[in-house]
Amino acid sequence: MLFADKRALETNLKVNLLAIREKELNYYTQNCLAVGTQSALLAGFAYSGLTQVAIPHDRAYPLKLAYLLVTTTAMCFELIAVLNTTLLSMMGPGLALRGPDGSMHPAVDGMMIEYRTAYYSFVLGLVFFHFSAALFSWLIYVHWAVSTMVTLCILGSLWLLYRYAKRVYLRFRLMPEEVITGRFTGDEVLSAGGTAAGLDQHEQRHLSSLISKEQMQLHVAAQQEQHGF
């Protein structure tokens, strides 16, 4: 009876820890879906710029080449972001849900790392999309004054986007040492023991040992996976 109660305590502890970590998993999954949707939209616009635009034959060859290269680069960056976010939103939760015991932590940590690649690809594709629009104005409009005004408007839009993105980033940014994750350690339980109500020192040490045991199992599993065992 006591053995079963102890096992039930360990199981309930794991379930509660996973519920906290699941919030991070849902956060990155929703971010991937949002970035993937916008990237697909911009990739479609760039593809239309390659297939639906009639480029005048009398334009200079370097200008036409620059337009095609920049537009293709914008489409490729956005497609990279689409592929990355699609795989992350499918395989990350799949690993956490159907993987072996302790798969939640590598799933969330992996999404946290790989999400940056998708984000940077989306931003680079957006920048090249603006450059493509500027080059398009030089291909279509004959008078240089019109092309110059359109280019200045596009560059102004890009500068406003950068300024707004920088302002939002500075307002909501978190320093690396300030980031709090859902991963628990045994030391956190002991350090919080002074403020935890209803837990004596024996219970705190027991919870700390359970969490430390789980973290040790995850560490051993990760080492075995790296060495191919």
Side-chain angles (χ1 to χ4, degrees):
M1 182 66 180
L2 294 178
F3 180 78
D5 290 339
K6 292 175 65 177
R7 290 300 182 185
L9 175 61
E10 295 181 6
T11 303
N12 293 332
L13 177 61
K14 287 184 178 181
V15 171
N16 292 332
L17 293 178
L18 290 178
I20 297 176
R21 196 68 167 168
E22 185 183 9
K23 295 181 179 180
E24 286 185 284
L25 182 68
N26 295 333
Y27 167 75
Y28 286 108
T29 301
Q30 294 298 323
N31 285 352
C32 287
L33 294 176
V35 173
T37 301
Q38 304 304 321
S39 299
L41 180 64
L42 291 178
F45 288 156
Y47 180 77
S48 298
L50 294 173
T51 59
Q52 304 297 327
V53 174
I55 301 177
H57 296 285
D58 57 343
R59 293 304 182 193
Y61 179 77
L63 181 60
K64 294 188 290 185
L65 179 62
Y67 170 75
L68 293 176
L69 289 178
V70 171
T71 306
T72 303
T73 303
M75 183 185 68
C76 291
F77 273 123
E78 298 300 342
L79 289 178
I80 291 173
V82 171
L83 177 63
N84 201 336
T85 54
T86 301
L87 292 178
L88 287 177
S89 61
M90 293 173 56
M91 301 185 69
L95 174 62
L97 180 64
R98 302 190 301 171
D101 188 21
S103 298
M104 176 66 79
H105 298 301
V108 175
D109 295 338
M111 292 186 69
M112 187 185 307
I113 296 173
E114 297 296 334
Y115 172 75
R116 296 190 183 97
T117 302
Y119 175 75
Y120 292 146
S121 299
F122 169 74
V123 173
L124 288 176
L126 183 62
V127 172
F128 277 94
F129 185 80
H130 280 76
F131 291 157
S132 174
L135 290 173
F136 177 76
S137 66
W138 289 94
L139 284 175
I140 298 300
Y141 301 114
V142 178
H143 202 282
W144 65 269
V146 178
S147 300
T148 302
M149 292 300 298
V150 174
T151 302
L152 291 177
C153 291
I154 293 174
L155 293 178
S157 173
L158 187 60
W159 180 77
L160 289 176
L161 287 176
Y162 167 76
R163 182 180 178 183
Y164 177 73
K166 182 179 179 181
R167 185 181 68 185
V168 173
Y169 172 76
L170 293 177
R171 183 183 298 272
F172 296 102
R173 69 172 177 176
L174 282 173
M175 303 303 294
E177 62 273 7
E178 298 176 349
V179 175
I180 299 176
T181 65
R183 182 188 291 271
F184 272 87
T185 61
D187 295 335
E188 289 180 330
V189 176
L190 292 178
S191 62
T195 59
L199 288 179
D200 56 18
Q201 294 183 355
H202 177 71
E203 291 175 334
Q204 296 169 15
R205 286 194 298 269
H206 182 61
L207 290 177
S208 176
S209 63
L210 291 178
I211 296 176
S212 300
K213 179 182 177 181
E214 182 183 2
Q215 297 297 327
M216 182 61 66
Q217 292 175 352
L218 293 176
H219 180 69
V220 173
Q223 287 185 340
Q224 292 178 351
E225 184 179 355
Q226 291 178 357
H227 291 82
F229 294 149

